[in-house]
Amino acid sequence: DAGVTQSPTHLIKTRGQQVTLRCSPKSGHDTVSWYQQALGQGPQFIFQYYEEEERQRGNFPDRFSGHQYPNYSSELNVNALLLGDSALYLCAGSTGAQFYGYTFGSGTRLTVV
Amino acid sequence: GQSLEQPSEVTAVEGAIVQINCTYQTSGFYGLSWYQQHDGGAPTFLSYNALDGLEETGRFSSFLSRSDSYGYLLLQELQMKDSASYFCAVTGGGNKLTFGTGTQLKVEL
């Protein structure tokens, strides 16, 4: 049983560009949460998707958007990239009723230059 | 809002016991989790406390006091491979995880 798969693993973009990151949770997980982790910091909650809808959102601007597909995979889109968006973007899978034990992917390292 | 405080760095020798503390302020609380993250890797779930008391999982134990908004992770029989960052995280409304800033554990010979 594969764990959480994220792609790409590394990405370099130019300021002002747009980026799409992808996540496939492991089998049995229907909820996907996205986190941003700056260097030396803890992961910060961006948003959570369940049943193809955004269920909860953290304190991130509208430049950050997402989508969940019927197979539970998810995308994170960031528009008008800023230098400060450089971070590790993590995806976590869980079930809708799960309070703990989320399964994280290894993340996408985004560098904005 | 929610905030969690942890020491930024802890150093211990192989074979020793180390405790990593976490204090939190939250507007909603279901439980406290602990995650381990090696450099460049995925956070890995270690332990969860929903109620007061101690939970033991092998060499790792976690404690929670809800009245004190305080918890800790206890690592016994430290090994070199335990060198990593450790995060406490609160589960709040909507099953949202809020993480602390992390504690970097260095295990020395």
Side-chain angles (χ1 to χ4, degrees), chain B:
Chain B
Q2 308 200 16
S3 67
L4 295 89
E5 291 191 10
Q6 306 176 230
S8 59
E9 190 174 307
V10 172
T11 302
V13 297
E14 196 174 31
I17 299 172
V18 71
Q19 178 173 315
I20 299 174
N21 299 320
C22 173
T23 58
Y24 60 87
Q25 291 184 323
T26 69
S27 55
F29 181 88
Y30 287 103
L32 186 71
S33 298
W34 289 90
Y35 284 80
Q36 178 193 61
Q37 186 180 32
H38 287 96
D39 281 348
T44 303
F45 171 74
L46 294 176
S47 188
Y48 176 75
N49 296 73
L51 302 175
D52 288 358
L54 192 68
E55 292 286 339
E56 298 181 73
T57 310
R59 294 189 297 116
F60 296 168
S61 303
S62 58
F63 173 83
L64 175 66
S65 169
R66 295 176 68 133
S67 60
D68 295 323
S69 297
Y70 164 76
Y72 65 73
L73 179 69
L74 193 72
L75 296 85
Q76 303 181 72
E77 302 173 13
L78 280 174
Q79 301 174 10
M80 296 298 291
K81 67 178 182 179
D82 296 330
S83 293
S85 292
Y86 292 83
F87 296 91
C88 58
V90 163
T91 300
N95 300 351
K96 168 187 165 184
L97 278 182
T98 300
F99 284 82
T101 52
T103 299
Q104 187 171 7
L105 172 64
K106 296 181 180 178
V107 180
E108 300 176 333
L109 291 172

Side-chain angles (χ1 to χ4, degrees), chain A:
Chain A
D1 181 25
V4 178
T5 303
Q6 291 191 244
S7 63
T9 55
H10 295 82
L11 200 53
I12 299 176
K13 287 287 190 178
T14 303
R15 208 169 24 169
Q17 285 188 314
Q18 178 264 343
V19 68
T20 297
L21 311 181
R22 294 177 174 82
C23 170
S24 293
K26 75 175 190 180
S27 177
H29 284 175
D30 57 10
T31 302
V32 172
S33 303
W34 285 92
Y35 291 81
Q36 180 194 66
Q37 186 176 24
L39 202 59
Q41 301 295 316
Q44 299 294 311
F45 176 75
I46 302 174
F47 43 54
Q48 183 181 83
Y49 275 83
Y50 173 68
E51 293 188 339
E52 301 179 50
E53 291 192 359
E54 184 181 288
R55 184 161 75 169
Q56 234 192 141
R57 188 179 185 90
N59 189 26
F60 278 80
D62 291 346
R63 298 187 297 109
F64 290 77
S65 63
H67 187 77
Q68 185 179 36
Y69 294 93
N71 66 353
Y72 308 123
S73 66
S74 177
E75 291 179 352
L76 164 65
N77 301 294
V78 187
N79 293 323
L81 283 166
L82 304 174
L83 296 179
D85 295 332
S86 295
L88 180 68
Y89 288 85
L90 295 163
C91 162
S94 61
T95 64
Q98 190 173 346
F99 286 112
Y100 64 95
Y102 297 1
T103 303
F104 281 84
S106 296
T108 295
R109 172 71 64 187
L110 173 65
T111 303
V112 182
V113 297

